[in-house]
Amino acid sequence: MRIITHPLLLKKMWAVLVLVGAAAASAPLHSHHFDGEKVFRVTPHNEEQVEFLNTLASNMQIDFWNPETVTQVKPEMRVDFRVEADKSSDVESLLEQSGVEYEILIDNLKTVLDAQFDSNIRATGHNYEKYNNWETIAAWTSDIAAQNANLVSRTQIGTTFQGRPMYLLKVGKSGSNKKAIFMDCGFHAREWISPAFCQWFVKEAVSTYGSDTLMTRLLNNLDFYILPVLNIDGYVYTWTNYRMWRKTRSTNSDSSCIGTDPNRNFNAGWCSVGASKRPCDDTYCGSAPESEKETKALADFIRKNLSTIKAYLTIHSYSQMLLFPYSYTYSIPENYAELNTISKAAVQELASLYGTKYTSGAGASTIYPAAGGSDDWAYDQGIKYSFTFELRDTGRYGFALPESQIKPTSEETLKAVKYIANYVLDHLY
């Protein structure tokens, strides 16, 4: 592998980047259909190659998929990013010249996005094995509660920036002073597999109660609070305008850029690391902790129910990981050994179905440091069992996971969630 050390060559590349960058700066990321866009995976092997990626990212619009920002890139890390069609050959030749190891994960993003819907015939109504838009999910929350009144009730915990109701489902057999587990999906708008799992979980709860011993035990003894989509405005936007949108849709004063990353918006080492203070960035931490109506609604609900909520699960994608605190610091949590043991057992349980391999560990050291996450915040509120799932896959489809994978992904994830819930039930505090 050739490594660039020649200052003239670096200078020449820099000049190319500046030209490419000037063109990129004027082109908006929106209103396009991803035709010809590529997703690259690069593996920088040293600091110089990391620096090269930083240069690349500062000179043209690159959409980082994993990690979520160039600031989190370190040597020997696999880095996935999306490049617009008219820039991809420039990027490819720059990578060639730099000697950075790379492969093309997705050759044409439009093809992969089109193939997400396994059939273009969209059934009307809700379907657990399809991606459902927000209107369909909202109607489903009402129906599932009405049809299973003995197990499910629906409340509204807030409204989004654009005024959409935030529905929360409570799933469990009614009983006195029951403890609860809180689970949310759809923090990041483009992670469609996440809300699909929350819906699947509720379906499984109501359809296997009474026949599945473990599910019956869980619902008799615990309540599950399920927030099917936290970032509803962003999710709607991925259906109507721009499939790769990540943040909320709130406006920012002093900037024309829209949105805040809700998973950088909590008061847990807020904006200290792995988050951006620039409103145009995908990891923008917001103007203050809980500046977003959505994150504030979630935080308020958890604060109000702290005496009963004993576990917090937040579902993201992608990278097949089960993470626990901390992400905003390399310090380890008080019950590190316990969390480590639970997560190892849970990923083993998950793998037992289809052999899907997950990595588990503390956020900062397992994936990368990132401040302001909901899992760290929940843990610091006193919720001892706090976990983040990063669902399938490891990059072959990334955020464009096909619908054919909703069922297997949800089935295996359900096994891990049931394992954790059962552990929590046996270790109430």
Side-chain angles (χ1 to χ4, degrees):
M1 180 138 317
R2 274 188 321 113
I3 311 298
I4 308 190
T5 45
H6 198 285
L8 272 176
L9 185 54
L10 274 171
K11 214 167 181 176
K12 195 170 120 195
M13 283 174 61
W14 179 255
V16 176
L17 277 172
V18 171
L19 284 172
V20 174
S26 58
L29 265 177
H30 311 300
S31 70
H32 66 322
H33 303 286
F34 306 102
D35 201 15
E37 299 202 353
K38 291 185 177 7
V39 177
F40 290 89
R41 167 167 289 170
V42 304
T43 310
H45 292 298
N46 55 38
E47 290 299 343
E48 192 171 15
Q49 295 187 342
V50 170
E51 187 48 46
F52 165 74
L53 289 179
N54 273 286
T55 304
L56 195 64
S58 59
N59 280 279
M60 63 170 82
Q61 275 182 309
I62 287 178
D63 174 21
F64 280 85
W65 281 21
N66 195 32
E68 295 153 324
T69 157
V70 71
T71 58
Q72 292 163 328
V73 174
K74 45 186 195 273
E76 304 307 333
M77 177 189 266
R78 287 192 318 204
V79 182
D80 302 347
F81 57 81
R82 172 176 70 89
V83 177
E84 291 190 10
D86 57 342
K87 308 291 179 309
S88 53
S89 60
D90 288 327
V91 169
E92 198 166 348
S93 60
L94 287 165
L95 288 167
E96 283 288 337
Q97 291 171 34
S98 72
V100 176
E101 183 188 326
Y102 78 93
E103 61 178 300
I104 293 168
L105 277 185
I106 296 176
D107 192 52
N108 186 345
L109 185 56
K110 185 182 190 304
T111 316
V112 173
L113 285 173
D114 289 346
Q116 256 210 295
F117 297 115
D118 294 324
S119 106
N120 281 324
I121 307 146
R122 303 306 289 164
T124 48
H126 184 270
N127 186 329
Y128 290 103
E129 294 186 39
K130 297 244 171 240
Y131 292 118
N132 299 294
N133 64 20
W134 171 245
E135 288 66 31
T136 308
I137 296 171
W140 165 83
T141 60
S142 167
D143 295 343
I144 197 104
Q147 291 156 15
N148 302 277
N150 61 326
L151 282 176
V152 185
S153 60
R154 182 181 86 160
T155 50
Q156 185 182 333
I157 61 163
T159 49
T160 66
F161 179 80
Q162 293 177 339
R164 295 183 175 90
M166 294 175 67
Y167 294 123
L168 182 76
L169 296 174
K170 180 184 182 181
V171 185
K173 204 79 182 125
S174 63
S176 54
N177 71 62
K178 288 175 75 185
K179 301 305 183 198
I181 290 177
F182 190 100
M183 180 163 76
D184 59 54
C185 290
F187 251 74
H188 292 135
R190 61 190 179 183
E191 298 169 10
W192 283 11
I193 187 62
S194 166
F197 174 70
C198 268
Q199 294 159 68
W200 186 276
F201 179 86
V202 177
K203 164 189 81 86
E204 285 297 306
V206 300
S207 64
T208 65
Y209 177 79
S211 60
D212 177 283
T213 321
L214 178 51
M215 186 62 92
T216 307
R217 172 176 194 250
L218 293 174
L219 297 181
N220 281 340
N221 296 288
L222 289 169
D223 287 325
F224 287 85
Y225 290 115
I226 311 290
L227 187 65
V229 185
L230 169 102
N231 180 8
I232 301 165
D233 297 346
Y235 186 69
V236 169
Y237 196 73
T238 61
W239 280 80
T240 56
N241 292 61
Y242 181 58
R243 176 63 184 83
M244 285 299 137
W245 188 256
R246 169 184 165 91
K247 300 187 284 181
T248 62
R249 293 293 302 161
S250 57
T251 50
N252 292 305
S253 55
D254 306 329
S255 173
S256 60
C257 291
I258 296 288
T260 287
D261 183 340
N263 209 37
R264 298 291 186 278
N265 193 232
F266 287 81
N267 201 359
W270 181 75
C271 221
S272 56
V273 59
S276 170
K277 291 185 165 65
R278 301 203 321 244
C280 299
D281 291 350
D282 261 351
T283 52
Y284 176 53
C285 60
S287 55
E290 295 174 33
S291 60
E292 301 310 282
K293 289 188 70 175
E294 297 84 353
T295 55
K296 182 152 179 25
L298 181 134
D300 283 346
F301 180 85
I302 289 179
R303 276 190 287 262
K304 208 164 64 206
N305 295 280
L306 258 185
S307 58
T308 53
I309 297 173
K310 298 299 166 189
Y312 173 77
L313 307 176
T314 182
I315 315 295
H316 290 253
S317 76
Y318 64 98
S319 64
Q320 294 176 193
M321 291 184 171
L322 179 52
L323 307 169
F324 52 83
Y326 282 110
S327 286
Y328 72 84
T329 170
Y330 283 102
S331 308
I332 61 170
E334 201 179 324
N335 60 331
Y336 173 85
E338 184 185 23
L339 292 173
N340 200 33
T341 306
I342 299 167
S343 62
K344 274 190 169 53
V347 302
Q348 215 171 335
E349 191 63 33
L350 184 147
S352 69
L353 204 51
Y354 297 108
T356 310
K357 287 187 167 39
Y358 267 58
T359 311
S360 64
S365 52
T366 308
I367 187 165
Y368 39 68
S374 62
D375 54 349
D376 283 357
W377 174 83
Y379 184 84
D380 284 344
Q381 294 298 301
I383 299 173
K384 255 171 70 169
Y385 303 111
S386 181
F387 295 96
T388 295
F389 280 84
E390 292 282 354
L391 302 184
R392 291 191 190 182
D393 55 11
T394 55
R396 165 71 184 86
Y397 295 103
F399 301 121
L401 198 70
E403 284 177 329
S404 55
Q405 293 201 32
I406 294 175
K407 183 175 192 273
T409 302
S410 298
E411 288 173 338
E412 66 192 11
T413 309
L414 180 69
K415 286 181 84 69
V417 168
K418 283 163 78 171
Y419 176 86
I420 293 171
N422 193 47
Y423 181 94
V424 171
L425 180 55
D426 287 340
H427 298 81
L428 289 174
Y429 56 96

